Amino acid sequence: ENLNLSEAPPVKGQPAFTPPAYYPYRQQLTFRAGASTDLPKINFDDIVLGFQYLFPKFLSPKLEAGADLHKDGRGHLHAGLRWIYNERSYFRPSLKAAVDHFADSAEGIATLAHIDNWYVRGGATLEQVVWNPYSLRLETELAINLRHTELITTLGLSRGW
């Protein structure tokens, strides 16, 4: 009788299953910080703090609204559409087109009536989920009106739900 016990050789087959990275959330809140500059000079002398809310919708384009606070009691209110590519994956680049209102506290409510305070805003974003449901969002935006052009670059932390 042979009572010798030995370990069986490993079975060579398919590798262990890893679930795909899937982003199931339809709405998102982003807090962001960055800098802005007036073009054509590039000196990024203005600090930007803000937030953006992506309204719930299953497919792009999605409605997004936000507000940014700049120095000296100034800020931007913006709302528009965001087209997200690879909406359900962990890497989510996107494009944005929006209308923007520049609010200056020195002007009071009259800030709404000045045509020079209205902008068209466009931007591009790279977003990566780092810890589901949290993601980092690097965004560059260009705000243009009849007399002024502003470049805004921010880094944000987003949470989807």
Side-chain angles (χ1 to χ4, degrees), residues 36-53:
S36 72
T37 185
D38 295 328
L39 293 179
K41 65 177 182 163
I42 298 179
N43 57 5
F44 288 101
D45 58 349
D46 195 1
I47 301 298
V48 177
L49 297 174
F51 73 92
Q52 294 175 322
Y53 176 68

Side-chain angles (χ1 to χ4, degrees), residues 4 8 14 32 38-39 60 73 76 87 92 116-117 127 133 156:
N4 217 357
Q14 295 180 346
R32 62 191 201 152
D38 295 328
L39 293 179
S60 289
H76 286 269
E87 289 193 54
R92 309 175 60 214
D116 290 340
N117 290 348
E127 183 176 349

Side-chain angles (χ1 to χ4, degrees), residues 52-103:
Q52 294 175 322
Y53 176 68
L54 191 66
F55 289 88
K57 187 178 172 200
F58 189 70
L59 295 174
S60 289
K62 296 184 179 192
L63 180 63
E64 182 177 65
D68 296 326
L69 180 63
H70 295 248
K71 65 182 181 182
D72 301 328
R74 301 175 303 119
H76 286 269
L77 302 171
H78 46 91
L81 297 175
R82 181 173 295 279
W83 288 265
I84 302 171
Y85 303 97
N86 306 323
E87 289 193 54
R88 303 290 168 237
S89 72
Y90 275 18
F91 178 66
R92 309 175 60 214
S94 62
L95 295 175
K96 174 182 178 178
V99 63
D100 179 306
H101 179 263
F102 174 73

Side-chain angles (χ1 to χ4, degrees), residues 3 21 26 31 37 44 46 63 68 80 106 108 110 131-133 145 148 150:
L3 297 177
R26 295 185 181 170
F31 292 99
T37 185
F44 288 101
D46 195 1
L63 180 63
D68 296 326
W131 186 43
N132 202 5
N145 74 2
H148 188 232
E150 187 172 349

